[in-house]
Amino acid sequence: MSEGFESHVPRNSNASAPFRLTGSNDATVSTKYARSGSRSLKSEIPLSPAVPSPRSEIQHKGWTGSPGFVQPEHKFFTTRSFGFSFYFPNDFQDFDPLDESLMQWKNVSTDACSIGFPGFSIRMKQDYIIYNIKYGAAACYGQPVTKTGRIVNKVKKGVWHNFVVEIHNDYREKGGNGYVKIWYNEGGTISKGRDLVLNYHGPIGYVGDEGPFLKLGFYKSLWTKSENRDLSREAGVTKREVYIDDIFIIEGSYGGTPNPPKNDPPVASAGKDITITLPTNSVTIDGKATSSVGIESYAWEKVSGPNSTIRKKNQAQLIAEDLEEGTYTFRLTVTDVNGEKDTD
């Protein structure tokens, strides 16, 4: 099944169509940008007025009813692959302090306990994109385990960001076969051999759930609270806007037989030495990391040197300000999704 929006316009009422719209702000077909053909789907959420469900999404037909009447097209313990492309226009406001969902592989629960908590999602966080994996007890019965890491360190505007996800849903922590593989590139065509950015092997989803199904587009759950909307407003954010194109869903794997986990430890790089001359008293250090399974976190610390102020110490890029005459040493520590660490 594929969707390029060239001849089909999704509707909320069209239950027989491959996709339907969902949310307080309907996604709309647009001719402004397109990765292929002449049309794409525009997902936009305005900051005002406030709505009870700030989302603008397209939903696959995997869930066609309310809890107790679910008809999940996709089952647990099966493999599905899906692809999609996102386009962030040049005026995209990438400085929102609050994160949001771009894609959800949504669980279906017959008791409505975990239906609001996807076992796998791709999220926007300021100017970078992360993946989020949850598993274990459903939210009603305990605290699920969360694993997260970066896919895109800095979102480039004005280009198409292309994703393919292969996922095998299996919530069993022992004896299970769950995995997620993500391929990503910017502006080109996905290469199976070159563009693999995540190869996670482990549990996914909540015990006892069915499903799941695919949702694409912005969902800003934090905007349900006025204090959170105020935070975005203070940062100059007035809306969230993204364009979606070239969606496909296939049975089985995209990249062939899933690769066994490599479990290679991560490698951190704090970059080359930098020299500045006063009165310049700030510097940006671009940290990098490689991993066979995906990076979960970055952590910078000052090892030695005079007084200073450091910002973004939990991001790949560190900003050091209020520097004084002398020599500074900063250390970068990265942690992968398996908890392995490396420093530089």
Side-chain angles (χ1 to χ4, degrees), residues 50-266:
V51 293
S53 180
R55 67 174 78 227
S56 177
E57 296 174 303
I58 186 171
Q59 173 179 300
H60 192 238
K61 64 180 180 181
W63 180 48
T64 58
S66 57
F69 301 93
V70 293
Q71 301 174 32
E73 178 170 308
H74 306 309
K75 298 289 187 180
F76 266 83
F77 313 120
T78 58
T79 302
R80 296 291 184 274
S81 300
F82 45 92
F84 46 88
S85 297
F86 292 132
Y87 183 93
F88 302 93
N90 288 324
D91 60 353
F92 178 71
Q93 300 164 346
D94 59 2
F95 37 78
D96 195 330
L98 305 177
D99 67 330
E100 61 230 330
S101 172
L102 280 168
M103 169 262 147
Q104 301 181 69
W105 194 231
K106 195 93 172 206
N107 296 302
V108 176
S109 174
T110 54
D111 64 1
C113 184
S114 59
I115 196 166
F117 303 91
F120 173 76
S121 61
I122 291 177
R123 305 182 64 82
M124 186 88 184
K125 194 169 185 178
Q126 296 177 347
D127 61 351
Y128 55 96
I129 296 176
I130 65 173
Y131 67 86
N132 198 312
I133 297 169
K134 291 182 180 292
Y135 63 87
C140 302
Y141 309 122
Q143 185 63 38
V145 178
T146 301
K147 290 184 177 293
T148 187
R150 295 197 189 197
I151 306 171
V152 183
N153 279 327
K154 184 173 179 60
V155 170
K156 186 176 181 179
K157 304 175 189 178
V159 301
W160 284 96
H161 297 264
N162 309 308
F163 296 82
V164 173
V165 178
E166 178 180 320
I167 186 166
H168 183 89
N169 288 90
D170 190 336
Y171 48 70
R172 296 173 295 179
E173 296 187 51
K174 293 183 178 180
N177 298 303
Y179 70 85
V180 179
K181 298 165 71 174
I182 302 176
W183 291 265
Y184 163 80
N185 77 20
E186 179 185 287
T189 301
I190 292 287
S191 166
K192 296 179 184 178
R194 183 187 63 235
D195 294 328
L196 184 67
V197 295
L198 177 69
N199 186 21
Y200 164 86
H201 287 249
I204 306 160
Y206 303 100
V207 176
D209 277 3
E210 301 178 28
F213 59 93
L214 178 65
K215 299 182 79 173
L216 289 165
F218 270 129
Y219 172 41
K220 193 79 169 181
S221 61
L222 293 174
W223 275 3
T224 57
K225 296 184 178 180
S226 60
E227 58 267 32
N228 289 333
R229 294 195 302 276
D230 289 341
L231 290 174
S232 294
R233 187 177 294 109
E234 290 169 3
V237 174
T238 60
K239 65 179 181 179
R240 316 306 293 142
E241 178 184 1
V242 68
Y243 294 79
I244 308 167
D245 205 358
D246 290 352
I247 305 169
F248 72 81
I249 301 177
I250 60 176
E251 304 285 331
S253 64
Y254 173 77
T257 303
N259 300 327
K262 293 182 179 180
N263 293 325
D264 293 336

